[in-house]
Amino acid sequence: MSSDPVLFGIDNLPYGVFSPRDEPGSRRIGVRLGDRVLDAGAAARALGSAHVALWTATSLDPLLAAGRPVWAAVRAEARSWLGDEAHRAAVAPLLHPLDEVTPHLPFTVADYVDFYSSEHHARNVGEIFRPGGDALTPNWKHMPIGYHGRAGSVRVSGAPVVRPLGQRRPAEGAATPAFGPSVRLDIEAEVGFVVGTPSTPGRPVPLTALREHVFGVCLLNDWSARDIQAWEYVPLGPFLGKSFATSVSAWITPLDALDAAWTAPPARDVPPLPYLDDAAGAPGGLDLRLTVLLNGEPVARPPFATMYWTPAQQLAHLTVNGAHLRTGDLFASGTVSGPEEGERGSLLELTWNGERPLRLADGERAFLADGDRVTLTAWAPGPDGGRVGLGEVSGTVQPAPEGA
Amino acid sequence: MSSDPVLFGIDNLPYGVFSPRDEPGSRRIGVRLGDRVLDAGAAARALGSAHVALWTATSLDPLLAAGRPVWAAVRAEARSWLGDEAHRAAVAPLLHPLDEVTPHLPFTVADYVDFYSSEHHARNVGEIFRPGGDALTPNWKHMPIGYHGRAGSVRVSGAPVVRPLGQRRPAEGAATPAFGPSVRLDIEAEVGFVVGTPSTPGRPVPLTALREHVFGVCLLNDWSARDIQAWEYVPLGPFLGKSFATSVSAWITPLDALDAAWTAPPARDVPPLPYLDDAAGAPGGLDLRLTVLLNGEPVARPPFATMYWTPAQQLAHLTVNGAHLRTGDLFASGTVSGPEEGERGSLLELTWNGERPLRLADGERAFLADGDRVTLTAWAPGPDGGRVGLGEVSGTVQPAPEGA
């Protein structure tokens, strides 16, 4: 679990919820610095805080709900505790080694929405499944396409992922679908955005309000059973092919730590409708550099800066019909894939639907085998040429239940 | 708000959450009897109960989580309070007239799943949108097709429904989609099932376990903007065309009140896979008779008994991939449409995509106008030839926000 301390320096300070190894039943808010975790509730009590109730909560929910001015004040407190020489002696006993704590899902997921905002990913998927047809559907350049996923299946990094059972398209000539453990289990490397401040029912949230509502960013692996998905998804979209597991990183990086990462989105070749038009200076893209590791070997480096639709556009679209935001809403980018072959965020794309298996130290992989461990990591440009790490999200594939 | 007391007699006793008119900030569990609501927490305190904490909660959440044996015990208590002559004097002051209380959403919605389980509805929609093609997709007879909806948009009967803004398919020859208030606002008359007992992650729930997990039934109107939906739904399914509002009845009818309503589902012309095969006696269909009223006029009488896929099959399918149930999960049947023209549960079908408008007392309707009020009601066979009412779900259409 060691990591480069430069990625988790004083300009980062992501939030999580943990229990010390010797108190597995407890839930404490932690702030990560390097390879250590500050017990923030204990620090608030020891050093004084204007926000003791938020720091001593058992999840980030109250902090998320507290709103942007409080987010800034709380971050300033953490920065002082961990950065000021005067606090060094008091804080030292409150720091736990990262590998001696158990992480927990840091907030209660309200609604989970998954977008499909990488043009490279959408084109790859279109070419794989509809060869010779139009790779993009006619609506794709006019809106960030998305759907609701299963909030109850969102789990923290490290939690196991059981291979799902399900139906597959009938074999040629067969009348009945096949049924059993998925034989095309895949990942989707994504970035998730965590909503803090709710919005008013019936009122769209404008592009420019992103930072009033979104607290921070996580990494997200949208585990996908391609065989189940392919058979079920017409006409109502992905359902059981996705709903068995979605993993998120244990550390939520506040948007305040990503000020140096904003970047211009790709040029839009189709003018967006006014509610999606960010030309006038709404928050744009984010320069996040992802890495996908399969059993420890890097297999892809997806660049988030290449995403066609931005988080601000996703938020504006999600709410334009009057759907309101709740604290804990989670919306994800969709698979991050760049223009190059080594930048694709799914095995579907990396192996071109299994036609070109990856050659790894422990053998070939078209899709995931039982026991495989997938880890996503990422970093972003930080202040003064530094880097801000986005933690990691890992999961190991367990066999499907027996007797199925 | 008057209603036929026979529908809400001692064999029904649905649960809700209300505040008396003079205490709008309070939340109390109520049990409905006829046109009156028992303040159940007050009754538990006055008459004694083994479950005072459940009765005095501010939502049904703790009761849902308590499990089937407690559901039965609590129902027996309510039946005694409201049915035993000995309690009449004590209970009388705890009964509020139904039209003097404000209903609230009675439980916290965890995940909301919407199915598509009426063959008549699926065929009608297929014929309308894909004339000349196969009305049913190849998967339809092999699984209950469904998708996740937006839990945060679920609201109680009576809450307003704001006409959504959104994109529509570009007009012929136009490069840009139209944008504005939906011009094809519709309803879907459905039945919702409320999960009480959670299930284990990674473990499918068998057909036969329906009654261990499902607490009760509500009526549900899945408001739908057909123009938004038609443009967005390929390839990831319905999103903004549905996510602006879903209304549920204020009263949750316990499954224990519907013992006389179980009925054989329609014959299956395609043998279901084993995990969906209910031939061996799993819970089957439910004989619920719905009525759709538009501005008070009945416009359809959808028969729930004609649904191809049953709630037990929906539950088994929903969890076969290892997705687990949480207390408060809500899954809905999909639009209930019978074989006859007057039995269709959406305006899309009743007006055949607007081609044959309904003629009402206040004019023609292809889709909903601002100010229109839609109400769904239903009843089921009860013990001894009686009837069990399923309350009602109502909503009035408000204009889209201005300046859009």
Side-chain angles (χ1 to χ4, degrees):
Chain A
M1 282 287 273
S2 86
S3 62
D4 182 354
V6 172
L7 291 177
F8 297 93
I10 195 70
D11 292 319
N12 188 343
L13 303 186
Y15 302 92
V17 171
F18 73 98
S19 46
R21 191 174 287 171
D22 54 353
E23 289 187 52
S26 75
R27 296 289 182 276
R28 305 183 187 181
I29 292 178
V31 176
R32 177 171 174 182
L33 180 71
D35 288 343
R36 294 171 302 168
V37 179
L38 174 69
D39 182 334
R45 280 187 289 253
L47 298 171
S49 163
H51 306 283
V52 174
L54 300 182
W55 286 121
T56 56
T58 55
S59 84
L60 298 182
D61 297 354
L63 175 59
L64 295 182
R68 193 175 176 192
V70 175
W71 302 341
V74 158
R75 181 166 162 79
E77 288 187 341
R79 205 177 160 98
S80 163
W81 297 337
L82 290 164
D84 290 359
E85 188 60 32
H87 296 315
R88 181 163 304 215
V91 159
L94 309 180
L95 290 166
H96 297 257
L98 191 62
D99 57 5
E100 293 182 10
V101 304
T102 303
H104 302 285
L105 189 64
F107 64 99
T108 307
V109 181
D111 271 301
Y112 164 48
V113 167
D114 197 20
F115 284 97
Y116 186 57
S117 290
S118 160
E119 179 173 356
H120 305 292
H121 172 69
R123 285 192 182 279
N124 289 337
V125 171
E127 287 176 26
I128 288 170
F129 287 126
R130 296 181 294 274
D134 288 334
L136 296 185
T137 50
N139 50 18
W140 202 93
K141 289 264 168 127
H142 295 288
M143 63 172 74
I145 298 284
Y147 70 100
H148 283 85
R150 189 163 183 81
S153 292
V154 176
R155 64 202 61 192
V156 74
S157 177
V161 173
V162 177
R163 182 180 297 273
L165 301 173
Q167 297 190 23
R168 299 191 292 276
R169 193 184 301 282
E172 190 148 333
T176 304
F179 179 83
S182 170
V183 296
R184 297 167 79 83
L185 184 59
D186 197 358
I187 59 147
E188 295 197 334
E190 306 197 14
V191 175
F193 295 85
V194 181
V195 171
T197 306
S199 70
T200 305
R203 299 286 146 181
V205 173
L207 282 173
T208 49
L210 177 83
R211 297 198 58 178
E212 300 308 314
H213 293 282
V214 172
F215 172 81
V217 175
C218 61
L219 295 178
L220 186 146
N221 185 348
D222 177 34
W223 303 88
S224 299
R226 300 298 179 193
D227 43 354
I228 297 173
Q229 183 184 352
W231 170 231
E232 75 178 356
Y233 89 107
V234 176
L236 299 188
F239 184 35
L240 300 191
K242 304 278 196 171
S243 67
F244 58 97
T246 303
S247 298
V248 296
S249 52
W251 299 100
I252 309 298
T253 305
L255 275 188
D256 285 340
L258 296 175
D259 282 343
W262 294 101
T263 185
R268 276 63 176 260
D269 41 5
V270 173
L273 284 163
Y275 80 97
L276 294 173
D277 186 358
D278 56 2
L286 280 167
D287 181 12
L288 313 178
R289 322 279 179 99
L290 279 65
T291 299
V292 181
L293 299 111
L294 179 46
N295 297 328
E297 281 187 59
V299 296
R301 301 195 186 275
F304 191 75
T306 64
M307 301 296 281
Y308 190 89
W309 296 106
T310 70
Q313 289 172 318
Q314 291 166 346
L315 194 71
H317 187 61
L318 172 57
T319 58
V320 73
N321 69 346
H324 67 291
L325 303 173
R326 293 184 296 167
T327 297
D329 278 350
L330 171 65
F331 63 98
S333 59
T335 308
V336 182
S337 291
E340 306 300 326
E341 288 195 11
E343 295 178 339
R344 295 168 177 168
S346 69
L347 294 176
L348 177 72
E349 295 163 89
L350 288 166
T351 70
W352 209 253
N353 203 22
E355 291 174 15
R356 306 196 293 256
L358 296 177
R359 289 189 179 78
L360 303 177
D362 62 348
E364 288 195 348
R365 285 292 183 290
F367 291 94
L368 295 173
D370 289 348
D372 277 351
R373 181 171 181 82
V374 177
T375 300
L376 315 180
T377 66
W379 61 270
D384 308 320
R387 290 182 175 188
V388 170
L390 272 80
E392 64 172 46
V393 56
S394 287
T396 301
V397 178
Q398 297 190 349
E402 283 183 38
Chain B
M1 281 289 272
S2 85
S3 64
D4 181 355
V6 173
L7 290 177
F8 297 92
I10 195 71
D11 293 318
N12 188 343
L13 303 184
Y15 301 92
V17 171
F18 73 98
S19 45
R21 189 174 288 172
D22 54 352
E23 287 187 54
S26 75
R27 296 287 182 277
R28 304 183 187 183
I29 292 180
V31 176
R32 179 171 173 181
L33 180 71
D35 288 344
R36 292 172 304 169
V37 179
L38 174 69
D39 182 334
R45 278 186 292 253
L47 298 172
S49 163
H51 306 283
V52 174
L54 300 182
W55 285 121
T56 56
T58 55
S59 85
L60 298 181
D61 296 354
L63 175 58
L64 295 182
R68 193 174 176 193
V70 175
W71 303 341
V74 157
R75 181 166 162 81
E77 288 187 341
R79 205 176 161 96
S80 162
W81 296 337
L82 289 164
D84 290 358
E85 187 61 32
H87 296 316
R88 180 161 306 214
V91 159
L94 309 179
L95 290 167
H96 297 257
L98 191 61
D99 57 5
E100 292 182 10
V101 305
T102 303
H104 302 284
L105 190 63
F107 65 99
T108 307
V109 181
D111 272 300
Y112 164 48
V113 167
D114 196 21
F115 284 97
Y116 186 58
S117 290
S118 160
E119 179 174 356
H120 306 292
H121 171 69
R123 285 193 181 280
N124 289 336
V125 170
E127 287 177 26
I128 288 169
F129 287 125
R130 297 181 294 272
D134 287 334
L136 296 185
T137 50
N139 50 17
W140 201 93
K141 288 265 166 124
H142 295 287
M143 64 172 72
I145 297 284
Y147 70 101
H148 283 86
R150 189 165 184 82
S153 292
V154 176
R155 64 202 62 191
V156 74
S157 177
V161 173
V162 177
R163 181 181 297 272
L165 302 173
Q167 296 191 23
R168 299 191 291 277
R169 195 184 299 284
E172 191 150 331
T176 305
F179 180 83
S182 169
V183 296
R184 297 167 80 82
L185 185 59
D186 198 358
I187 59 148
E188 296 196 335
E190 307 196 14
V191 175
F193 295 85
V194 181
V195 171
T197 306
S199 69
T200 305
R203 298 286 145 182
V205 174
L207 283 172
T208 48
L210 178 83
R211 296 197 60 177
E212 300 308 314
H213 293 282
V214 172
F215 172 80
V217 175
C218 61
L219 295 178
L220 186 147
N221 185 347
D222 177 34
W223 304 87
S224 300
R226 300 297 179 195
D227 42 355
I228 296 173
Q229 183 184 353
W231 170 231
E232 74 178 356
Y233 89 107
V234 176
L236 299 188
F239 184 36
L240 300 191
K242 303 278 195 170
S243 66
F244 57 98
T246 302
S247 298
V248 295
S249 52
W251 299 100
I252 310 298
T253 304
L255 275 188
D256 285 340
L258 295 175
D259 282 342
W262 294 101
T263 185
R268 277 61 178 262
D269 40 5
V270 173
L273 284 163
Y275 79 97
L276 294 173
D277 186 359
D278 57 0
L286 281 166
D287 180 13
L288 313 177
R289 323 280 178 98
L290 280 64
T291 299
V292 181
L293 299 110
L294 179 46
N295 297 327
E297 281 187 59
V299 297
R301 299 194 186 278
F304 190 76
T306 64
M307 300 298 279
Y308 191 89
W309 297 106
T310 71
Q313 291 172 317
Q314 292 166 346
L315 194 71
H317 187 61
L318 172 57
T319 58
V320 74
N321 69 345
H324 66 291
L325 302 173
R326 293 185 296 167
T327 298
D329 278 351
L330 171 66
F331 63 97
S333 60
T335 307
V336 183
S337 291
E340 305 299 325
E341 288 196 10
E343 295 179 339
R344 295 168 177 170
S346 69
L347 293 175
L348 177 72
E349 294 163 90
L350 288 166
T351 71
W352 209 252
N353 202 21
E355 290 174 15
R356 306 195 293 256
L358 298 177
R359 289 189 179 77
L360 303 176
D362 62 349
E364 289 194 349
R365 285 292 183 290
F367 291 94
L368 295 173
D370 290 347
D372 277 351
R373 182 172 181 81
V374 177
T375 301
L376 315 179
T377 67
W379 62 270
D384 308 320
R387 291 183 174 187
V388 169
L390 272 79
E392 64 173 44
V393 55
S394 286
T396 300
V397 178
Q398 295 191 349
E402 282 184 37

